[in-house]
């Protein structure tokens, strides 16, 4: 029998469900339709729902099933009232941490550390305290316009942020926090084929850059010795990136123990020396999750950097002030902005010029120098097709160089590449 409960004429009946973990009751104002209520201690809130029946037996059956379902949700950690955008962000980053170091190459430590930064802008637009279940598919449709209102942001950065946001959203969808897989972002066309390529420096811009950083690292007006030491590190880092083609993320995680087999090659005719060093890139710090190793010239940049730095054990980071951690992402961005202003580039993001542009410059110069594209693919750790489509800036001068190439047969049956104008 239902027991009478409540105050006055408000409640007309009451039943405990499953030993009291929930209960049902009738409210006269709703025409004696049975109502369900269950206290969720984890969320400190009552879950209420109309059972849409006046029949007591049916109401008990519905209520028992609902109470059991809610109990299961609570036990597996699901929030019945829905999680917030901030809670989903934290869950996603925690989940992706499990992928670091996997052999299938899902994510590097460096990439994982940037996830929150890449997601913060879109999450803040939605509202960190907004319930995920309240978000509509088109709430970030104008993301690009809103993202660029306060500051200039490159097209590629916006695309990366949108892609990462949808990866997080699909994660939430699979956990049952959202009813749809992806957010809708307004599509935009690139202005030209040039934008599809990585932005790079002209030779003139690159000369201005390393000349400026050389002077910047010796600025007599700067009395902070640590600051000058950091500037010298940045100067050598720029030279190394532009000669090796290392990704900026790889460089920031490169350790002294990754360098070996130092060699000096001397030209017998000119006595000119070329200093080589062998660099081993572990899969863990590579974007492609593939290890690689290669010789590069420019060992002298590493040598003088090592002479200045205090922390140079094999386990110490090369581009670091304490050997244990790299500079913060905001610090790298601030330094880059200062360097771009220093060489007269006021809107470097609009032009797509970033730290990564030094890699593109290195690849382009190696192609111009005649480095075989297969060898180059292995040195820089990217597919030959990617070099052709994204990196290769085939110029009129390169075409002329190719036209002049030929070979001569040697007495031992081998062939030597020569230029037609040298025959």
């Amino acid at each position: 029998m239902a027991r009478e409960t409540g105050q006055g004429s408000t409640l007309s009946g009451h039943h405990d469900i499953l030993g009291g973990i929930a209960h049902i009751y009738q409210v006269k104002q709703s025409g004696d339709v049975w109502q369900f209520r269950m206290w969720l201690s984890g969320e400190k809130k009552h879950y209420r729902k109309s059972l849409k029946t006046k029949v007591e037996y049916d109401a008990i059956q519905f209520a028992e099933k609902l109470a059991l379902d809610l109990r299961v949700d609570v036990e597996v950690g699901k929030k019945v009232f829905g999680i917030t955008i901030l809670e989903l962000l934290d869950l996603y980053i925690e989940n992706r941490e499990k992928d670091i170091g996997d052999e299938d190459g899902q994510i590097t430590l460096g990439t994982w550390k940037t996830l929150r930064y890449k997601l913060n802008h879109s999450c803040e637009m939605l509202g960190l305290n907004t319930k995920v279940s309240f978000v509509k598919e088109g709430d970030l449709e104008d993301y690009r316009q809103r993202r660029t209102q306060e500051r200039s942001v490159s097209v590629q950065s916006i695309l990366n942020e949108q892609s990462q946001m949808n990866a997080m959203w699909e994660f939430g969808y699979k956990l049952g926090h959202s009813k749809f897989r992806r957010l809708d972002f307004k599509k935009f066309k690139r202005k030209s084929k040039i934008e599809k390529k990585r932005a790079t420096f002209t030779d003139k811009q690159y000369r201005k850059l390393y000349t400026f950083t050389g002077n910047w690292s010796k600025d007599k007006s700067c009395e902070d010795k640590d600051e000058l030491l950091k500037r010298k590190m940045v100067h050598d880092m720029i030279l190394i990136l532009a000669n090796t083609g290392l990704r900026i993320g790889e460089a920031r995680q490169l350790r002294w123990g990754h360098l070996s087999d130092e060699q000096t090659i001397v030209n017998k005719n000119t006595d000119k020396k070329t200093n080589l060093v062998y660099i081993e890139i572990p899969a863990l710090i590579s974007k492609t999750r593939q290890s690689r190793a290669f010789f590069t010239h420019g060992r002298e940049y590493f040598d003088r950097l090592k002479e200045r730095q205090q922390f140079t054990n094999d386990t110490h980071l090369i581009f670091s002030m304490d050997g244990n951690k790299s500079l913060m992402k905001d610090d790298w961005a601030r330094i880059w902005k200062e360097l771009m202003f220093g060489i007269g580039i006021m809107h470097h993001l609009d032009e797509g010029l970033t730290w990564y542009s030094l890699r593109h410059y290195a690849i382009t110069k190696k192609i111009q120098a005649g480095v075989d594209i297969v060898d180059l693919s292995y040195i820089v750790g990217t597919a030959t097709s990617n070099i052709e489509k994204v990196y290769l800036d085939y110029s009129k001068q390169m075409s002329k160089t190719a036209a002049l190439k030929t070979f001569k047969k040697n007495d031992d049956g081998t062939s030597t590449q020569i230029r037609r104008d040298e025959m």
Side-chain angles (χ1 to χ4, degrees):
M1 290 287 294
R3 59 186 176 86
E4 298 296 326
T5 186
Q7 299 177 358
S9 59
T10 302
L11 302 181
S12 59
H14 179 280
H15 272 290
D16 285 334
I17 301 298
L18 299 179
I21 68 170
H23 60 266
I24 61 173
Y25 55 92
Q26 289 175 303
V27 181
K28 290 185 178 180
Q29 286 91 332
S30 62
D32 288 330
V33 172
W34 285 96
Q35 309 292 321
F36 174 90
R37 186 167 72 173
M38 180 173 174
W39 175 252
L40 303 178
S41 57
E43 301 185 57
K44 295 181 173 56
K45 189 182 295 186
H46 274 107
Y47 179 89
R48 295 181 176 86
K49 185 176 182 178
S50 171
L51 298 174
K52 298 180 180 179
T53 182
K54 296 181 181 180
V55 179
E56 181 180 315
Y57 176 82
D58 291 341
I60 293 173
Q61 299 301 309
F62 295 155
E64 287 181 348
K65 183 179 184 308
L66 181 55
L68 288 171
D69 289 342
L70 288 171
R71 194 168 189 176
V72 169
D73 287 342
V74 169
E75 288 177 353
V76 299
K78 183 176 178 181
K79 293 204 172 185
V80 176
F81 289 98
I83 64 173
T84 65
I85 298 295
L86 179 58
E87 288 170 329
L88 177 59
L89 174 61
D90 290 338
L91 279 176
Y92 178 66
I93 291 176
E94 180 183 356
N95 182 71
R96 290 312 309 270
E97 186 177 11
K98 301 173 185 176
D99 297 330
I100 298 173
D102 286 352
E103 293 182 359
D104 57 0
Q106 291 189 31
I107 193 172
T108 65
L109 177 62
T111 300
W112 178 77
K113 288 181 177 179
T114 66
L115 286 180
R116 187 175 295 274
Y117 175 80
K118 290 179 179 177
L119 289 163
N120 265 345
H121 301 289
S122 50
C123 288
E124 288 176 357
M125 284 184 194
L126 291 175
L128 295 177
N129 294 320
T130 301
K131 297 292 184 183
V132 173
S133 57
F134 292 170
V135 175
K136 299 181 179 63
E137 291 175 85
D139 282 353
L140 289 180
E141 188 177 19
D142 57 348
Y143 179 74
R144 183 193 184 190
Q145 289 78 7
R146 294 165 66 182
R147 180 76 171 89
T148 55
Q149 279 179 351
E150 296 182 1
R151 55 171 294 183
S152 177
V153 184
S154 70
V155 170
Q156 192 59 49
S157 293
I158 291 174
L159 290 174
N160 290 342
E161 290 169 9
Q162 291 179 172
S163 176
Q164 198 58 247
M165 185 61 177
N166 269 332
M168 184 188 84
W169 206 261
E170 182 155 3
F171 167 78
Y173 170 81
K174 290 178 179 178
L175 292 180
H177 298 304
S178 173
K179 294 181 180 179
F180 54 90
R181 284 182 176 272
R182 299 174 64 81
L183 292 157
D184 288 337
F185 293 101
K186 188 178 294 183
K187 294 182 180 180
F188 52 92
K189 295 182 179 179
R190 297 178 184 269
K191 295 179 181 178
S192 69
K193 292 182 179 179
I194 296 175
E195 289 189 36
K196 294 181 182 179
K197 295 183 178 291
R198 298 283 187 182
T200 188
F201 293 98
T202 64
D203 289 340
K204 183 178 179 180
Q205 287 174 328
Y206 176 63
R207 282 194 298 271
K208 287 180 68 175
L209 179 60
Y210 70 70
T211 300
F212 173 80
T213 54
N215 295 327
W216 174 69
S217 64
K218 301 172 185 175
D219 186 358
K220 293 181 179 179
S221 66
C222 179
E223 298 180 356
D224 188 335
K225 292 183 179 180
D226 288 338
E227 173 64 20
L228 286 175
L229 184 63
K230 181 168 64 177
R231 292 182 181 185
K232 286 181 171 64
M233 178 189 75
V234 170
H235 174 63
D236 284 332
M237 184 178 185
I238 286 172
L239 292 169
I240 289 169
L241 289 173
N243 280 277
T244 62
L246 284 171
R247 295 180 177 90
I248 181 63
E250 294 170 343
R252 290 173 187 170
Q253 298 176 78
L254 196 66
R255 300 180 185 274
W256 288 109
H258 295 147
L259 307 183
S260 63
D261 199 7
E262 298 181 355
Q263 298 182 16
T264 299
I265 309 299
V266 181
N267 186 309
K268 295 180 180 179
N269 298 322
T270 64
D271 288 332
K272 182 179 180 180
K273 296 179 179 179
T274 301
N275 298 311
L276 302 179
V277 63
Y278 197 61
I279 302 179
E280 298 179 64
I281 307 295
L284 184 61
I285 71 172
S286 172
K287 179 182 178 181
T288 60
R289 313 298 282 150
Q290 298 289 326
S291 63
R292 69 185 192 278
F294 57 93
F295 271 108
T296 182
H297 64 279
R299 192 191 75 219
E300 57 270 24
Y301 306 137
F302 288 105
D303 289 345
R304 68 190 188 194
L305 182 59
K306 195 169 189 177
E307 288 176 3
R308 292 193 307 266
Q309 299 297 97
Q310 180 180 353
F311 305 95
T312 57
N313 292 339
D314 283 354
T315 57
H316 286 148
L317 294 170
I318 294 177
F319 302 108
S320 167
M321 297 306 292
D322 62 5
N324 295 316
K325 61 181 182 297
S326 177
L327 300 180
M328 298 295 289
K329 187 177 180 69
D330 288 347
D331 290 330
W332 288 114
R334 177 187 55 77
I335 290 170
W336 188 255
K337 185 176 181 179
E338 183 176 351
L339 299 184
M340 292 300 98
F341 279 15
I343 63 174
I345 300 176
M346 301 295 109
H347 304 285
H348 63 280
L349 288 176
D350 290 342
E351 297 183 33
L353 291 173
T354 66
W355 284 100
Y356 206 93
S357 299
L358 291 166
R359 169 177 165 86
H360 181 30
Y361 182 79
I363 293 174
T364 303
K365 300 310 290 184
K366 288 181 185 298
I367 292 172
Q368 291 177 351
V371 176
D372 185 85
I373 196 170
V374 175
D375 292 334
L376 183 55
S377 171
Y378 188 78
I379 290 170
V380 300
T382 193
T384 55
S385 59
N386 196 44
I387 292 175
E388 292 171 344
K389 294 177 182 177
V390 180
Y391 291 100
L392 181 57
D393 292 323
Y394 198 82
S395 66
K396 186 176 181 180
Q397 186 59 41
M398 290 168 67
S399 177
K400 180 180 178 181
T401 300
L404 289 172
K405 283 183 179 180
T406 186
F407 68 94
K408 68 175 181 178
K409 286 187 177 181
N410 302 318
D411 294 337
D412 60 0
T414 61
S415 60
T416 301
Q417 187 181 96
I418 60 173
R419 286 172 57 98
R420 294 181 184 276
D421 54 353
E422 295 174 348
M423 295 175 65

